[in-house]
Structure formats: C-alpha cells, structure tokens
Amino acid sequence: MIDYRDLHERLVQVGQEHLLKFWSELNENEREQLIHDIEELDLNELKLYFDRATISLNQNALKLDDCLQPIPDHSLISINRTSEEQLSAYREQGLKQISEGHVAVLLMAGGQGTRLGFANPKGMFNVGLQSNKTLFCIQAERILRLQELAAEITGKKGIITWYIMTSEHTIKPTYDYFTANNYLGLQKENVIFFEQGSLPCFEFDGKIILDQKHRIARAPDGNGGIYRALKQQGILDDMEKKGILYLHAHSVDNILTKVADPVFIGYCMQANADCAAKVVEKSAANEAVGVVAIVDGKYQVVEYSEISTKTAELRNADGRLTFSAGNICNHFFTAEFLRKVGNIYERELKLHVAKKKIPFVDNSGKRITPEKPNGIKIEKFVFDVFQFAENFVAMEVPRDEEFSALKNSDSAGKDCPSTARADLHRLHKKYIEAAGGVVHGDQCEISPYVSYAGENLSIVKGKSFTTPLHLSYPLSSGKI
C-alpha cells in the first residue's frame, strides 16, 4: 500500500491535495480505488494540461478569417472531377497493398448510442435494413469483400487487420458482441480491441473534481486520444510486427464508409502523403460542419463558428465555395507518421475544452448534480495532427456515396436511422441502375458480400426488380 503521507505530499506539490479529503471515511477497498485513480494521473502533466486548456477556452471565440487559406489545388483531388482511368490506377495500387497485408483499418468506436435512444455501443445499432445488420456487421463484411477483391485482382490473399478503439464503457459490450457473433466472419486474431484514454474533469480553478469520495471524475479524451493509446497499448508495435504500412481511420457512425478504401489508399501513396483526409463539398455556406483549411501555413480543421459569415460565403470563379472541404472524420496515415506522432507530437496536440455540468461530491460528501456548468471536460481531436504532416493531401468524395452520419434519433429528422437507411437504399439502387438493371421502388440493399462499391453486378443487366430488394448472395451463385 502506498504511504498516505507520500501520496499527500505529491498532491500538495500540484495543488490537488483535496483529492484525499475523505480519506479517513474510506474503507480499504475504497482507498485502493482512489489510489489507483490518482496513480493513473500524470501529476507532472496535470497543471500543464489545465493551463493549456484554459488558453484554448479563451481562443474558442476567435475568428480566423485573416489567417485562413483553402486547400491548394495540388493537394486536393475530387472523385467527381477525376477520370475513371486515373481512379482505376489508384484502386489497383490500393488493392495491391491490401493483398500484401500492408493496410489496416482503425475504427473509432468509443461512442454509445445514447442520442439514438440505444443503450449499447453505437456500432451495435441496427438502422432497420432488411438484413438487420448492425454498423459493425456492415463494416466487417466490407472488409471481407475487399480482401476477396484484392485476391481476385492480384492473385494474392492479404489480410486487413481491424483495430477497434473503444472507450471504458464500450469495451466489454463490444468485445462480448464480437465473441457472440463469431467475429462477424473475420478471424479473431485479425480483430484487435483497445481502449482510448480518459482525462480528469476540472473545476474552473484547476482543481480535479471528485465524482465520489473515492473516485476521480473522468471523461474520455476524445477521438484524438487514439495517438497516445496506439503507443501505450502496443498497437504501433503490432502494426510493425505485421508489416502494416498504411492505416485508414474512420468513425463508426457513417453507414456509407468505404472501409480501407483502395482508391484512397492508392491516391495517398501516389501523392507520397503521410497524412490525409476525405472531405465532402459543403452543401451550403452556413452548413454547420468543420472545414479542412490552412491556418497560418498549417493544415487544420476549422469549426464553422471560427469563420465569419462573409468568409464562409466566399466563392471561386467557378461558383464553388472557397472553403468547401467539409470534414467527415475519415483519414489516412502512414505507420511511420503515427510513430512520430506517438513519440513526439502527441503531447503538443491542441486541447479542446467544453464547460459542462459535472456531478461532484460536496464538502459534506454528498454527490451533487449541478444545474449549470461547474467545470470543464478536455478532449483531443483526431484531426489536430494534420499540422505535423510533411505532406498532407485531401480527397473530395461524393456525399451521396460516402457520407451519411448517424447521430440522432428519428425524432430529429436529420443524421438519424431513417436518413442513414434511405441514403444506403438510394446508393445501392444507383449501383444496380449503373450496372444496367431497373429498380421499381426505393428499398434496395446489396450485401457487402455481393459488392463492395458497385462492382460484380453484371448479372443484373437487363433485369427488372421491384422493391423491397435485397441482393444477399454472391452473384456467381446465380441467386438474386
């Protein structure tokens, strides 16, 4: 057992000795839990964190118009404005890397489905497709199909390792779900779970908040916590051991995500990029989405609140918005770049701060849920490493093919199960019609086992279908 006096002295040095104020009231197990919580903190880093967070809080209201530039043309490619010949070359390069086992996927799956009215991790959510597949299932099957595609084209079977970042609250139900469902057809050894970190919650004066007499109030450190977690939990070492060179990272809640997209991988390789982002063209100047841009010579995501209306409405000669590159949390990294971030840059990441109503234990030991913000939660964002890239590029993808967020319940009418389902139906209908089929109605689902992104559908040519339609078998079987 750690000596109380030693622990108290260490906390005094950083102004956090109040964490022990209920020590005499705790039993042995509670004391061990409190010690564990304190030991998990980097006490020397705490004051630096709070000071940096406070600076960030004061900067959040600043407008960045005067130091803002759009992504230059040489660093941005648009799928819609690129020839099919060039896209095919990128795709072939990406599939080759997949067949060599050089590509992995990092799924940011720490979120819970609370806003969906769902008690489990968001990846376990079923949006109501005919197949009743969850988000996890859809993405797993896309990985399986992509491995087959790579083998068909290169003649070599490669493995896409799937790294799944969970939070403290989602790791057990996520693991249990995959175990109960036989890893959704993937090999157990190729699905690796790891947990993002957390940061203590602070009062406005820098004191760490006690959630209970023996527990520190903590919150997940945001999707930017991946960089520290990748290093601390051995994922970077695992990538090196497996010979993985490229990582495609994305959030769990986009039903249209092209997992391990070979076109994206191929483009980034050809551009010699160490870090990249997929973006969608903003639908309107006032769309509430962050944009990828250059600020003081460095790439970053600028929140819509950080740009004036005048700047947001600027347009190029062709009529397109000047700042149009909407961020969709979909990124490419080289393993070498991630290693540099983990070893050097992670400690320099910007800290994003939100004033929150954080439950706390008052001086009498009673747990209080405040009616107004009483402290701050600190997060890191995944895109804040863009500034450290030696060669950053972006790929503008069609929104209707690659982005449909799932954040709200159907009552919101936006970014909800109904819109996600409708967007997938619309895309899959488009695939069949592009392959020469005719679809009467809107409910159209194609299993990832059949087609990853519209390929392998020649059998539908000249055929007519009435919805609801579900293409669920490999078409070589002759079944539809």
Side-chain angles (χ1 to χ4, degrees):
M1 173 72 68
I2 291 178
D3 182 78
Y4 168 84
R5 286 172 296 182
D6 176 61
L7 188 60
H8 184 267
E9 183 179 335
R10 286 160 55 194
L11 290 171
V12 167
Q13 291 174 5
V14 291
Q16 303 292 345
E17 64 272 16
H18 67 285
L19 296 177
L20 298 177
K21 63 183 175 182
F22 298 109
W23 184 265
S24 63
E25 302 175 29
L26 304 181
N27 62 38
E28 198 65 30
N29 288 336
E30 289 171 336
R31 288 180 177 181
E32 286 184 13
Q33 182 63 71
L34 180 59
I35 290 170
H36 178 266
D37 280 7
I38 294 171
E39 287 293 293
E40 282 193 331
L41 302 174
D42 185 333
L43 294 176
N44 295 323
E45 194 177 44
L46 282 179
K47 188 175 187 308
L48 176 63
Y49 258 67
F50 181 78
D51 290 345
R52 286 176 57 210
T54 305
I55 292 171
S56 175
L57 191 63
N58 294 332
Q59 289 178 336
N60 282 347
L62 298 177
K63 298 293 182 183
L64 302 175
D65 300 53
D66 293 340
C67 50
L68 200 63
Q69 293 176 292
I71 305 172
D73 290 343
H74 64 79
S75 297
L76 175 67
I77 187 175
S78 168
I79 293 292
N80 285 339
R81 294 187 292 277
T82 302
S83 70
E84 183 53 45
E85 181 181 15
Q86 183 63 70
L87 294 177
S88 293
Y90 293 145
R91 186 179 298 108
E92 186 175 336
Q93 176 67 277
L95 289 172
K96 180 181 178 184
Q97 295 305 313
I98 289 170
S99 71
E100 297 288 344
H102 292 165
V103 176
V105 171
L106 171 57
L107 181 65
M108 291 173 271
Q112 292 179 292
T114 308
R115 286 166 62 184
L116 296 167
F118 183 62
N120 289 310
K122 195 181 288 187
M124 293 166 58
F125 190 75
N126 171 1
V127 302
L129 298 173
Q130 290 169 259
S131 63
N132 285 315
K133 289 175 182 174
T134 64
L135 295 174
F136 280 143
C137 185
I138 292 168
Q139 293 175 27
E141 291 181 5
R142 285 178 185 153
I143 288 174
L144 287 164
R145 173 62 186 149
L146 197 53
Q147 290 176 163
E148 291 178 356
L149 267 178
E152 289 170 10
I153 289 176
T154 67
K156 187 174 182 179
K157 176 84 169 177
I159 296 299
I160 299 172
T161 300
W162 201 12
Y163 298 109
I164 300 178
M165 185 179 78
T166 69
S167 67
E168 174 187 0
H169 301 293
T170 63
I171 188 161
K172 186 179 187 305
T174 299
Y175 177 79
D176 290 347
Y177 171 82
F178 273 80
T179 303
N181 289 279
N182 196 29
Y183 285 80
L184 304 173
L186 296 163
Q187 294 298 309
K188 179 180 179 179
E189 61 268 23
N190 299 324
V191 182
I192 299 173
F193 306 97
F194 68 105
E195 188 179 332
Q196 73 182 101
S198 62
L199 290 170
C201 302
F202 294 90
E203 295 179 40
F204 296 125
D205 63 359
K207 300 288 187 185
I208 294 174
I209 295 173
L210 278 173
D211 180 66
Q212 301 176 51
K213 292 180 181 181
H214 65 293
R215 296 305 307 267
I216 287 173
R218 305 179 73 103
D221 58 2
N223 56 23
I226 67 169
Y227 304 111
R228 179 169 291 199
L230 286 172
K231 180 181 180 182
Q232 291 186 343
Q233 299 196 38
I235 303 301
L236 294 178
D237 292 337
D238 188 72
M239 289 173 64
E240 184 174 351
K241 183 176 69 176
K242 288 182 166 72
I244 293 167
L245 304 178
Y246 311 108
L247 193 79
H248 184 190
H250 58 83
S251 56
V252 72
D253 57 4
N254 176 10
I255 197 170
L256 301 186
T257 297
K258 287 185 175 178
V259 183
D261 180 12
V263 176
F264 191 35
I265 301 295
Y267 164 63
C268 292
M269 286 187 61
Q270 207 159 112
N272 197 32
D274 51 357
C275 176
K278 280 191 177 186
V279 298
V280 294
E281 186 173 4
K282 284 183 67 175
S283 59
N286 63 351
E287 182 181 6
V289 62
V291 296
V292 182
I294 297 175
V295 178
D296 290 332
K298 295 181 179 179
Y299 283 97
Q300 71 175 63
V301 172
V302 180
E303 298 299 334
Y304 61 92
S305 58
E306 297 175 311
I307 311 174
S308 70
T309 301
K310 182 179 179 181
T311 297
E313 291 177 346
L314 289 175
R315 294 186 181 272
N316 302 331
D318 61 4
R320 297 175 65 243
L321 290 169
T322 300
F323 296 100
S324 64
N327 177 53
I328 59 172
C329 195
N330 194 313
H331 310 303
F332 164 93
F333 305 106
T334 64
E336 182 181 2
F337 177 70
L338 289 173
R339 181 75 69 175
K340 286 181 183 177
V341 171
N343 290 337
I344 303 170
Y345 301 125
E346 191 277 333
R347 62 182 67 94
E348 299 176 31
L349 282 180
K350 180 179 178 180
L351 301 176
H352 298 263
V353 179
K355 296 180 180 179
K356 295 286 186 179
K357 293 179 282 189
I358 304 167
F360 68 98
V361 176
D362 67 12
N363 288 328
S364 70
K366 182 180 179 183
R367 193 171 190 268
I368 306 293
T369 300
E371 295 181 357
K372 60 182 181 179
N374 64 314
I376 62 172
K377 291 184 178 181
I378 302 173
E379 285 187 307
K380 303 171 188 177
F381 291 166
V382 64
F383 51 69
D384 280 330
V385 296
F386 292 176
Q387 62 176 311
F388 305 121
E390 292 182 17
N391 188 19
F392 178 88
V393 297
M395 172 180 279
E396 183 187 280
V397 298
R399 186 186 294 248
D400 68 332
E401 294 185 6
E402 297 208 32
F403 185 60
S404 180
L406 180 61
K407 299 184 180 299
N408 310 309
S409 65
D410 273 337
S411 61
K414 178 184 178 184
D415 296 338
C416 60
S418 291
T419 56
R421 187 169 60 247
D423 288 341
L424 184 134
H425 284 158
R426 192 179 303 114
L427 176 61
H428 287 189
K429 179 177 179 179
K430 176 179 171 181
Y431 285 159
I432 291 176
E433 291 177 341
V438 176
V439 180
H440 302 284
D442 297 320
Q443 295 181 46
C444 183
E445 180 185 355
I446 303 172
S447 167
Y449 286 133
V450 174
S451 183
Y452 171 81
E455 82 292 336
N456 194 36
L457 294 175
S458 59
I459 198 170
V460 306
K461 186 174 183 179
K463 291 185 170 63
S464 180
F465 305 94
T466 299
T467 64
L469 171 66
H470 181 204
L471 299 186
S472 56
Y473 296 92
L475 298 189
S476 59
S477 70
K479 298 180 180 179
I480 292 183

